[in-house]
Amino acid sequence: MAVIDRVTVTVFTTVIRSVVDGHGHRHPGPPREVKEALLEVTDADGATGRCLGQPETLRESMIKAHVRPVLTGQEGLDRERLWHALARRQRGAHGHLTDRLLSTVDQALWDLAGRKLGLPVWRLLGGARSVIPAYASTMCGDDIPGGLASFSDYADFAKELVARGYRGIKLHTWMPPMPHGVDLDIKACAVVRDAVGPDVALMLDSNHWYSRTDALRLGRALDELGFAWYEEPMEEASVQSYRWLADQLATPILGPETSWGKHMARAEWVAAGACDILRVGVVGSGGLIPALKAVHTAESFGMGCEIHGNGSGALAVIGATLCGEWYERGLLHPHSDYDTPPPHLRSIVDPIDESGNVALPMRPGLGDDLDVDHIAAHTVATW
Ligand code: MG
């Protein structure tokens, strides 16, 4: 037991090989330098918990006004109490104290606990399983030659992913600003099913602003093609639209993914009958603490809960619970190399084996293999 006596953010440069378009969709790109940030929480014993984040998420004003006042002088192992104390401050922070910041702080505290106790966080939280099948989550469609520019590109890439060991593939099809629509989605799903055969699990994450009738037409095609789930065809704020859709389809509806409202929004979706499989992310929904509450809600209602996104936080929840079948590995693209770590990591946290499985990390804490020498040598700001 030791109180927290230091909270620091280090902004550093690293290199990535992707670009994000004006609609927030990631595509492969040439190597480019970007800024990332590392949150560190250190206690009176000298133990440190760490979590990577974005500099704009970990803004100096928010660390000064909210994170330091909540954490400093408090017992570092009191994750639940500290999460609630920080979450309560969101009401008066006018949107500036985000769920992403809450998540980064929460993950750093779990990393601290795991390091102090010498346990991986997934085992500290429950220890349900040490291996999980991964599905390949593709990038969106594009106009890159040999990329994901045509139906045959999707089919060829799906066959390549199956050859690498994946037993599940989730398609992100064409979205704005690319030409897009239900007819293109249906054709892409059909050619991929044809390419991989009936035994590979296929999922679709389609355009997020379809009308009810377009979403239903696409869902009926997925019923014919035997898809494992159907994700975010419509604006998630309209819970009644999802109930309307779920009532008419055999394919399980998965959600909500981007909806605001942490575990409480997930409980509302379950109560409304708006999904067949629940969805929660660690980064977007406020951390491990709300994600676990959502998973346990799903389990209590006999539903699965699939964790959104990749990374050590997602793996911690997956390893701690049995309520979900997959780990989302991606985003993947014929021209991108997921398996080579960026320069600020010595290794990736989620290597895949030839059977398509990812082993949970055994390192104490969250399991990220940070290259602290790179970070120190490329630091551009601290607060
Ligand atoms: Mg999604």
Side-chain angles (χ1 to χ4, degrees):
M1 306 277 278
V3 298
I4 294 165
D5 61 17
R6 203 161 65 247
V7 178
T8 60
V9 173
T10 302
V11 180
F12 60 93
T13 58
T14 187
V15 177
I16 63 168
R17 292 175 168 77
S18 63
V19 292
V20 177
D21 68 29
H23 290 256
H25 301 130
R26 193 168 289 279
H27 302 283
R32 66 189 176 106
E33 191 174 88
V34 294
K35 287 179 186 162
E36 293 223 13
L38 179 68
L39 175 70
E40 294 182 287
V41 178
T42 302
D43 72 12
D45 290 339
T48 298
R50 298 180 178 87
C51 184
L52 291 167
Q54 300 302 310
E56 56 270 29
T57 302
L58 296 166
R59 281 180 292 160
E60 185 172 15
S61 59
M62 289 296 104
I63 300 295
K64 269 188 184 167
H66 297 292
V67 179
R68 273 196 199 111
V70 165
L71 299 190
T72 307
Q74 299 297 312
E75 167 55 48
L77 294 179
D78 289 357
R79 284 91 66 199
E80 183 83 18
R81 181 170 64 80
L82 295 172
W83 184 86
H84 280 275
L86 197 55
R88 290 284 182 272
R89 285 175 170 249
Q90 287 183 295
R91 184 176 178 280
H94 309 295
H96 298 298
L97 177 47
T98 61
D99 284 347
R100 282 177 181 262
L101 174 54
L102 214 57
S103 173
T104 313
V105 173
D106 178 62
Q107 290 185 71
L109 290 174
W110 282 102
D111 189 56
L112 176 71
R115 287 167 184 270
K116 284 183 80 80
L117 299 169
L119 288 171
V121 171
W122 62 271
R123 187 158 269 161
L124 173 63
L125 282 169
R129 51 187 161 182
S130 58
V131 67
I132 181 82
Y135 67 86
S137 190
T138 75
M139 289 183 182
C140 296
D142 50 48
D143 55 2
I144 301 169
L148 294 173
S150 67
F151 301 118
S152 60
D153 283 346
Y154 271 97
D156 291 345
F157 190 42
K159 283 191 272 192
E160 184 186 326
L161 292 167
V162 171
R164 282 192 223 163
Y166 287 102
R167 288 169 280 153
I169 300 170
K170 189 174 83 182
L171 307 180
H172 291 95
T173 42
W174 292 279
M175 297 191 196
M178 297 299 301
H180 61 279
V182 167
D183 292 331
L184 297 181
D185 291 345
I186 292 172
K187 182 89 185 285
C189 291
V191 299
V192 169
R193 172 57 81 204
D194 195 45
V196 300
D199 297 331
V200 174
L202 293 177
M203 306 80 155
L204 174 67
D205 186 345
S206 62
N207 191 285
H208 310 136
W209 292 279
Y210 283 142
S211 67
R212 286 190 186 195
T213 48
D214 277 349
L216 180 62
R217 188 157 68 88
L218 176 51
R220 288 199 167 130
L222 300 185
D223 284 352
E224 294 294 315
L225 295 167
F227 267 52
W229 78 57
Y230 182 22
E231 181 177 329
E232 216 176 342
M234 302 177 291
E235 164 62 65
E236 288 185 339
S238 180
V239 179
Q240 293 306 315
S241 294
Y242 276 89
R243 176 158 76 175
W244 178 90
L245 186 65
D247 281 347
Q248 301 183 73
L249 294 177
T251 306
I253 297 291
L254 175 135
E257 177 167 301
T258 54
S259 205
W260 178 86
K262 308 183 181 73
H263 52 293
M264 287 83 79
R266 273 80 203 164
E268 293 292 345
W269 272 57
V270 174
C275 58
D276 304 287
I277 303 169
L278 197 60
R279 183 72 149 168
V280 71
V282 169
V283 175
S285 302
L288 292 165
I289 283 180
L292 286 163
K293 294 180 197 298
V295 171
H296 294 153
T297 299
E299 188 174 355
S300 305
F301 283 90
M303 296 172 67
C305 184
E306 294 292 338
I307 305 302
H308 173 222
N310 61 347
S312 58
L315 286 170
V317 176
I318 287 167
T321 59
L322 291 175
C323 189
E325 294 183 36
W326 299 95
Y327 169 68
E328 180 167 18
R329 198 165 188 271
L331 299 169
L332 307 182
H333 186 277
H335 296 338
S336 73
D337 173 11
Y338 184 87
D339 297 286
T340 300
H344 63 281
L345 296 175
R346 288 183 299 208
S347 63
I348 60 171
V349 74
D350 56 357
I352 193 169
D353 69 18
E354 65 283 351
S355 304
N357 293 323
V358 168
L360 276 291
M362 296 305 293
R363 198 174 283 115
L366 285 171
D368 287 316
D369 191 9
L370 299 171
D371 187 334
V372 291
D373 294 333
H374 172 92
I375 292 170
H378 295 81
T379 295
V380 293
T382 54
W383 53 77

